[in-house]
Structures are given as C-alpha cells and as structure tokens.
C-alpha cells in the first residue's frame, strides 16, 4: 500500500500553496487543506495567512449551510406529520405545542441554544431552502457568510415574493464584496425603490411591536432599550438629550458625551423633568470637581468603555448555555447535591442503561426503546424512592393537588428555573407540574417540577415525554429518540 495519501497537504508543504486559492471552493477538499497542523501556520507568509483565514471562513459558511439544511429537513418532516395527523390548520390544541414550535424546542436542546436562537435558525433554514434558495446556495459555496445570509433574510422578510426575488438577485450580486452594514443599507435602498409601500407597511408593522426591553449583561450591569420606535420619535428623543448634554458640557461637565447622555436619560425616565435633570447633573459635576481638587487630582475622569451597539436583529436574550441538561452522547455524571447519596448511583445507572441501548438499537426504534427503558428503570427504583421520600419528608405524597408552601419552596430551590434544558424562566414564575398527572400522580417532591407554560405544553405534545425517576432527577425524551437529563441544582 503506497503511503502517499493526502499527506498533511498544503500548509505542510511550505511552498506557496495558499497563493491563488481565493476561490478554492469549500467542501471536503478544502477541509483537508485546512487540517494541517496549527504549528505550520508559522511558516506561511502574511498573505497566505489571510488566505487561510478566508478559506476557513468559506468552509464555515459551507458547514453552516449544512446545519441549516438539516434543520430545514427536520422541520419539514415534523410539520408534514402534523398536517397529515391533525389537519391543515395545525390542530389548534391549546394543551400541546404546534409542530413548528415543538421542533424549535427540539433543535434548541440538541444545539444548546436558547429558544429565540433556535426560532431564528428554523426561520432562516426555511427561507434559505425556500424563497431564498439562491442565498442558501451562495452560503454553501462560501460566497457569503452566515451574517450576510441573515441580513438578506431579515431585510426581505414579509416582502411580496416577486420583490424578494428581485432584491435577492441584486443583493447577491454585490454581497461578496460588501460588509453586513453596507449590504443592509444597499438592500434598504433597493426595497425603497422597488416597493415603497411594502417597505412602509413593514415599518408600521414593526412599530406596532414597539417595546421596552431589559436584559442583564455579562459584566453585571443591565441594558435597557426602547425597541422599534418610529424613527422620528427615536431621533427626536436622542437629539433632545444630545443637545442638553452639549449644554452641560459647555457649563463645565468634562465627562464624555455618551456618559452625560446616559445620566440624563436615566434621570428623565425616573420622572425628573429636563431642567431639573440638567440642574442635578450640573450640581454633581461641581461636587465631583471640588472632590478632585481636594484630592489633588486635576486630571479629567477616565473615559469609560464606549457603549456597545446591538444590531436590531440580534435576540435580546443572551445564550447562557445548558444549565442542567446533559445532551445525549455526552452523559457524564458530575457533582450532585450531597443531601441525596442515592442520586449519583441513579445517574450512573441511567447513563449506563441508555448508552448501552443506543449502541444496540436501530435509530428508528430509539424513541420507543428509550421510553421503555426509562419506564423499566422507574419501576425498579420505585421502592427506594418511596423509602427516600418517607425518610426525608416524613411522608411520600401530600393530600390534595396543590403543594403546601414548604414543599413549593423546596421544589423551587431544587430547580431554580423551568426544567427544560434550555429554559431560563425562573421557577417562581413557573407552574409546579405533576410529572405524572395528579391521580394517579401524587403531590410529592418525587413528582413535582417547575415548568413554564411553553414547556408544559411541550411535555404534552405527541412524541415528547418527561420522566421523573428520582426526586429532582428528570429525563426528557424527544421524538427523535434523544434524551436530556435534568439534575437537581441548588444554585
Ligand atoms: Zn415522593
Ligand atoms: Zn421552560
């Protein structure tokens, strides 16, 4: 057998292998070219390094096109099943989630992204395999990246089909050589020219969704934003505050304009009127300067970090990753609360049983097999579970459907959020769900967990099951046969 396989190719060779490769298409071949050891990058010229970076980006686009195609295919399967089983109106059963939303949750859990991100992916996947197929093709061939595909998708949203096609063709023509900002501005101009009424209607629609949003940031601060205001309103407010801030600067406030603006806006939103807010800030300035002089510090205050801009289409909620969920295939028991010595053993038993099962079961049989196996484990653990509840809580099961306050607190402490793997809804805003519905299900710590409304409906959607096999240890199974283990957390 000759050893001359695709020998750690081009990067290793050291010769000018990366020259003239600007349009070497992404795919398996390019993946091989890129897979040379990182240490060889040191041998490349500056130009070649840029070529490698650009090639890796094309390869990423290709991979993202595959990701979206897979999402589109799964969405198509799930939504088709719904149409055939519940009629074209999608059922309308308030107890369950419509197929499109359920598949969004399935994707969120599998990719460990928030529900918002998953919804964006599903929408993008459907557009790029439907009306925006040319944009999908441009992504797959690495002519544009995912960010540009999103711009094209967002800016053509809810436009008439014919206009969308025109806009897409024009956008793709220049997109490879434009940044997302340039692309967005260009498409906006094209849409205004081709379909002024549609553009206006879309704007009015967005204005009807105007809202005040709030989210915590990684640094421990909180952002507050007024979103989707009419431009004249937003610009009017901004200009007014800026003018007042300039006035304050003239009167001696030495701080950067963006800080003064932020303080003025805060005062105004607290209910202070503009003249009073200006006076307050000016008094503070005088005090600050007096203090600085007293401390012998004649330097101006340090310039703080410039405000960061969030693009209009980024979801407001940040991805925080999985809290307790353990994805199928990556199931390693880690720390467990020390109050329950049985938990690590139960976790290990579940992992062993389900991994063993996966290795020996045809994928098509997995959903049924997983549920069967968990039911068996559940039955086997029943006597120990009863003993545990009796020992810890004096009683296994409370009278009535409604859990008493102390039990409610215990459950909310055990799971700080809804027990769906990607959900961040605080448990005090969730329902305490009887995992097995009340009667035969009991009101007990081994059968109660916080679920938000959405994931409560998901639990009742065909193909989904939530098991509670040990107090606080829950397992979700999905229509594809994946499982997610939710451990008690006490953070
Ligand atoms: Zn119990
Ligand atoms: Zn939830």
């Amino acid at each position: 057998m000759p050893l001359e396989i695709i020998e750690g190719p081009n990067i290793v060779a050291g010769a000018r292998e990366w020259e003239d490769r600007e349009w070497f298409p992404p795919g398996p071949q390019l993946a091989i070219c890129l897979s040379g050891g990182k240490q060889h990058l040191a041998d490349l010229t500056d130009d070649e390094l840029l070529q490698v970076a650009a090639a890796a980006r094309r390869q990423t686009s290709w991979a993202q096109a595959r990701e979206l195609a897979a999402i589109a295919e799964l969405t198509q399967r799930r939504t088709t099943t719904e149409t055939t089983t519940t009629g074209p109106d999608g059922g309308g059963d308030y107890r369950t989630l419509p197929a499109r939303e359920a598949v969004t949750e399935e994707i969120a859990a599998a990719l460990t992204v928030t529900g918002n991100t998953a919804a964006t992916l599903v929408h993008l996947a459907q557009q790029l395999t439907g009306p925006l197929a040319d944009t999908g093709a441009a992504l797959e061939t690495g002519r544009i990246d995912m960010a540009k595909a999103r711009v094209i998708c967002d800016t053509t949203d809810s436009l008439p089909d014919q206009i969308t096609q025109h806009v897409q063709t024009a956008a793709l023509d220049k997109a490879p050589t434009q940044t997302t900002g340039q692309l967005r501005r260009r498409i906006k101009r094209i849409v205004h020219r081709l379909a002024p009424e549609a553009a206006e209607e879309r704007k009015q629609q967005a204005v009807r969704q105007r809202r005040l949003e709030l989210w915590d940031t990684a640094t421990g601060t909180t952002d507050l934003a007024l979103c989707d205001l009419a431009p004249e309103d937003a610009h009017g407010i901004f200009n007014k505050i800026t003018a007042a801030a300039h006035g304050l600067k003239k009167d001696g406030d030495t701080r950067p304009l963006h800080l003064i603006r932020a303080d003025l806006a805060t005062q105004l939103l607290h209910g202070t009127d503009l003249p009073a807010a200006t006076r307050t800030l000016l008094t503070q300035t005088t005090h600050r300067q007096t203090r600085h002089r007293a401390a012998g510090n004649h330097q101006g205050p340090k310039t703080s970090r410039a405000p960061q801009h969030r693009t209009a289409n980024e979801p407001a909620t940040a991805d925080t990753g999985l809290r307790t969920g353990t994805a199928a295939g990556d199931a390693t028991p880690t720390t467990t609360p020390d109050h329950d010595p049985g938990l690590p053993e139960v976790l290990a038993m579940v992992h062993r049983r389900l991994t063993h099962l996966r290795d020996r079961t045809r994928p098509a049989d997995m959903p049924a097999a997983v549920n069967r196996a968990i039911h068996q484990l559940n039955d086997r653990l029943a006597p120990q579970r009863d003993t545990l509840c009796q020992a810890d809580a004096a009683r296994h099961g409370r009278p009535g459907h409604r859990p008493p306050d102390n039990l409610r607190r215990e459950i909310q402490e055990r799971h700080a959020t809804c027990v769906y793997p990607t959900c961040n809804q605080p448990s005090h805003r969730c329902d305490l769900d009887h995992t097995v519905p009340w009667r035969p299900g009991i009101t007990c710590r081994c059968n109660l967990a916080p679920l938000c409304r959405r994931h409560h409906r998901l639990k009742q959607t065909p193909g989904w099951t939530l098991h509670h096999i040990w107090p606080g240890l829950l397992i979700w199974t999905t229509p594809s046969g994946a499982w997610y283990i939710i451990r008690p957390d006490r953070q």
Side-chain angles (χ1 to χ4, degrees), residues 385-386 388-390 393 395-397 442-447 471:
R385 207 165 44 223
D386 297 356
L388 181 76
C389 279
Q390 262 147 11
R395 175 165 200 181
H396 176 50
I442 53 175
T443 301
C444 187
R445 53 208 290 269
C446 61
N447 191 46

Side-chain angles (χ1 to χ4, degrees), residues 127 183 260 394 460:
Q127 291 297 106
L183 182 61
I260 307 177
Q460 293 168 155

Side-chain angles (χ1 to χ4, degrees), residues 148 151 178-187 189:
K148 292 180 193 177
V151 168
Q178 288 186 314
T179 65
T180 48
Q182 293 165 333
L183 182 61
R184 191 176 285 117
R185 280 195 297 278
R186 178 150 179 272
I187 296 179
R189 279 200 304 273

Side-chain angles (χ1 to χ4, degrees), residues 230 240 305 366 434:
K240 198 169 179 177
R305 198 161 53 93
M366 272 304 276
H434 287 72

Side-chain angles (χ1 to χ4, degrees), residues 233-393:
D233 271 343
H235 284 282
I237 294 169
F238 193 81
N239 292 343
K240 198 169 179 177
I241 292 180
T242 303
H246 276 301
L248 276 166
K249 259 185 114 61
K250 266 206 202 94
D251 289 341
D253 195 332
T254 54
R255 300 174 306 149
L257 200 61
H258 66 84
L259 271 188
I260 307 177
R261 265 200 299 249
D263 287 354
L264 269 176
T266 309
Q267 293 267 345
L268 292 175
L269 287 172
H270 271 305
T272 319
D273 61 27
L274 190 57
T278 321
R279 273 197 307 278
T280 311
L281 288 188
L282 211 52
T283 320
Q284 285 171 358
T285 305
T286 322
H287 282 165
R288 223 178 8 254
Q289 283 165 348
T290 319
R291 273 204 311 277
H292 272 283
R293 268 194 292 277
N297 178 1
H298 296 285
Q299 286 170 344
K302 278 194 192 134
T303 311
S304 80
R305 198 161 53 93
Q308 294 188 341
H309 293 286
R310 202 166 55 90
T311 61
N313 295 305
E314 266 173 41
T317 341
D319 272 356
T320 51
L322 273 191
R323 172 181 43 82
T324 53
T326 309
D330 179 30
T332 323
T334 51
T335 52
T336 47
D338 47 14
H339 71 291
D340 180 0
L343 192 64
E345 277 105 274
V346 176
L347 259 174
M349 195 192 291
V350 172
H351 290 308
R352 250 197 327 272
R353 181 77 191 92
L354 295 184
T355 331
H356 177 86
L357 190 73
R358 188 181 45 212
D359 295 343
R360 282 161 187 74
T361 311
R362 288 192 311 149
D365 300 332
M366 272 304 276
V370 168
N371 280 304
R372 217 169 26 243
I374 299 174
H375 276 302
Q376 284 164 359
L377 276 175
N378 196 45
D379 290 347
R380 196 162 10 128
L381 288 167
Q384 285 139 284
R385 207 165 44 223
D386 297 356
T387 317
L388 181 76
C389 279
Q390 262 147 11
D392 274 19

